[in-house]
Amino acid sequence: MTLSDAQRLDWLRLIRSEGVGPRTFRGLVNKFGGAGPALKALPGLAKARGKPIRVTTKAEAEREIAAAARLGARFVAMGEPDYPLPLQATADAPPLISLRGDAACLRRPAVAIVGSRNASAAGLTFTERLSHALGAEGMVIVSGLARGVDARAHKAALATGTVAVLAGGHDRIYPSEHEELVARILDNGGAVVAEMPIGWEPRGRDFPRRNRIISGLSLGTVVVEAARRSGSLITARFALEQGREVFAVPGSPLDPRAEGTNDLIRDGATLCAAPEHVMAVLAPLIGGPAPDTGAEDAADRPEPALYWDEIDFSAEEPVTAMAAEPAQRPLDEAPARPGPREERTILLELRGPSPVPVDALARQAGMPARVVQGLLMELELDGKIWRHPGGAVSLR
């Protein structure tokens, strides 16, 4: 799928409108068959709820696209070739991301490295060695551009590939002292990703939003140092909710910066004391047959926390899939199975973006599925195994 310029403008207008977050966006697109029709219906829906909302104008969206272009950024929509498949498979994936740099590094396997802003000398040294070694194994390093562990991870992976995820807009680098680091990431073939609008100054609640993108881009998340109330633990929680691997570097029980990581290990995270501990877990997910993650486990995962002031315009009916542009039929309108004498029809249609874990969609359709890191790998249907190495499939 590739959006036209008009469709991309509609997507940007819809996601920037008041009360519309990732989940509301999916519900509206499903309900009305596209972002354009949803924009036309939005004022009436809001009025019916007794709460008028502000819809982003075409001129405002055009100005943001022009401002992004001046910074060297472009908007990529879910379902487009440059949108990262691991992120697309998460429940709260942003419909649009703005991207600077080389999109090719978003198609490579990635691991997130996060940790304390006030990291110890030992923690920074280990971060550098870990990032460098994982990069040498072909992994892209993803982090949040914060001081301390994040910055050291990015710097150590400049030569092998790193992705920085921003909490604000591309013109509001935080902390501002890392503007030079962003330039080095871009000059070395890395990428910088943002969800928030151009000109957006990051606020406290924007960092958890950023963290779920960091974990969503990655096969696993390594927490190097984290106090018990550290934002790095939020990234680890998102990774668990997304069905990704979580690693924690052990530390001294006397160091408050190790309390969070030691707790993670006690709660079941994989202990990471060397790069080999990460690669031993992730290598099967990259180059060979991966172990079954257990589709049934996804139903027991807690619902991700909401960090948007979203208005639910479709509470009367569940949202299960988002139609691609041009509009296509949502999953819940397709027959779960053909009758014994029926010709085979579309049974599971995810040709557009996949907004919820595909294992849940497969269960809803009554078809056993094998899911790896949130991506549908195999689907059993009428005694046959269908395989697809990604999160977008169409079975007929």
Side-chain angles (χ1 to χ4, degrees):
M1 172 185 97
T2 301
L3 297 185
S4 67
D5 290 343
Q7 289 169 338
R8 198 177 311 279
L9 191 68
D10 287 343
W11 277 48
L12 184 60
R13 288 184 61 198
L14 184 58
I15 193 59
R16 296 288 188 251
S17 293
E18 182 184 2
V20 178
R23 295 186 181 189
T24 304
F25 184 100
R26 291 194 300 271
L28 291 170
V29 169
N30 262 352
K31 188 177 184 70
F32 297 102
L39 282 167
K40 294 178 181 178
L42 192 54
L45 290 173
K47 185 177 180 181
R49 294 178 62 94
K51 184 181 178 181
I53 63 172
R54 187 178 182 281
V55 178
T56 299
T57 67
K58 182 178 179 181
E60 289 170 332
E62 288 174 337
R63 284 197 295 270
E64 183 176 352
I65 290 175
R70 287 193 294 271
L71 293 170
R74 58 193 177 90
F75 290 94
V76 180
M78 288 181 70
E80 292 192 303
D82 285 342
Y83 195 100
L85 274 178
L87 180 61
Q88 180 172 304
T90 62
D92 283 318
L96 282 173
I97 56 173
S98 52
L99 167 68
R100 279 196 288 170
D102 190 353
C105 63
L106 296 174
R107 294 190 287 270
R108 292 169 50 196
V111 60
I113 299 179
V114 297
S116 174
R117 289 173 170 81
N118 183 32
S120 67
L124 293 176
T125 299
F126 184 81
T127 297
E128 184 172 343
R129 293 179 180 176
L130 179 66
S131 183
H132 186 270
L134 293 177
E137 293 287 344
M139 304 296 294
V140 170
I141 303 302
V142 180
S143 199
L145 205 69
R147 299 181 181 95
V149 167
D150 290 27
R152 186 63 65 93
H154 286 306
K155 291 174 183 177
L158 286 172
T160 54
T162 184
V163 175
V165 183
L166 304 180
H170 280 282
D171 57 344
R172 295 292 187 269
I173 303 300
Y174 183 86
S176 58
E177 67 207 53
H178 286 166
E179 290 181 1
E180 181 183 353
L181 177 55
V182 167
R184 293 176 65 191
I185 290 172
L186 297 174
D187 289 343
N188 283 274
V192 180
V193 171
E195 176 184 20
M196 304 308 289
I198 301 297
W200 187 271
E201 198 75 45
R203 305 165 300 174
R205 67 188 299 182
D206 297 322
F207 291 94
R209 293 175 176 176
R210 175 205 64 180
N211 292 353
R212 112 260 189 212
I213 297 177
I214 292 173
S215 59
L217 288 169
S218 312
L219 294 174
T221 293
V222 184
V223 184
V224 177
E225 286 183 342
R228 285 206 167 104
R229 296 180 63 84
S230 169
S232 301
L233 301 182
I234 297 177
T235 311
R237 179 171 62 80
F238 277 125
L240 288 172
E241 291 173 354
Q242 294 161 349
R244 312 300 165 88
E245 300 293 338
V246 175
F247 305 85
V249 178
S252 168
L254 302 178
D255 188 346
R257 290 169 295 197
E259 289 178 344
T261 49
N262 290 343
D263 287 347
L264 286 175
I265 294 169
R266 189 172 63 250
D267 292 339
T270 300
L271 185 150
C272 173
E276 294 79 11
H277 297 161
V278 177
M279 291 308 302
V281 176
L282 298 186
L285 306 179
I286 300 167
D292 191 348
T293 59
E296 69 281 356
D297 295 340
D300 299 327
R301 294 178 196 145
E303 193 71 13
L306 287 175
Y307 293 95
W308 296 267
D309 296 323
E310 293 197 63
I311 299 174
D312 185 3
F313 292 109
S314 55
E316 70 278 3
E317 51 183 301
V319 176
T320 55
M322 183 166 69
E325 298 277 0
Q328 65 184 47
R329 185 171 57 187
L331 174 66
D332 53 4
E333 295 180 11
R337 284 184 178 272
R341 297 182 182 178
E342 292 178 1
E343 194 172 339
R344 188 178 303 278
T345 57
I346 296 176
L347 294 167
L348 176 61
E349 188 168 276
L350 294 172
R351 274 196 300 248
S354 175
V356 297
V358 292
D359 50 0
L361 292 176
R363 284 200 314 277
Q364 178 178 321
M367 294 176 283
R370 176 173 173 269
V371 178
V372 175
Q373 297 298 333
L375 299 182
L376 181 65
M377 305 300 290
E378 292 182 356
L379 191 68
E380 182 180 338
L381 177 63
D382 296 339
K384 297 180 181 179
I385 301 294
W386 300 74
R387 291 185 173 87
H388 194 282
V393 301
S394 180
L395 301 180
R396 294 181 180 273

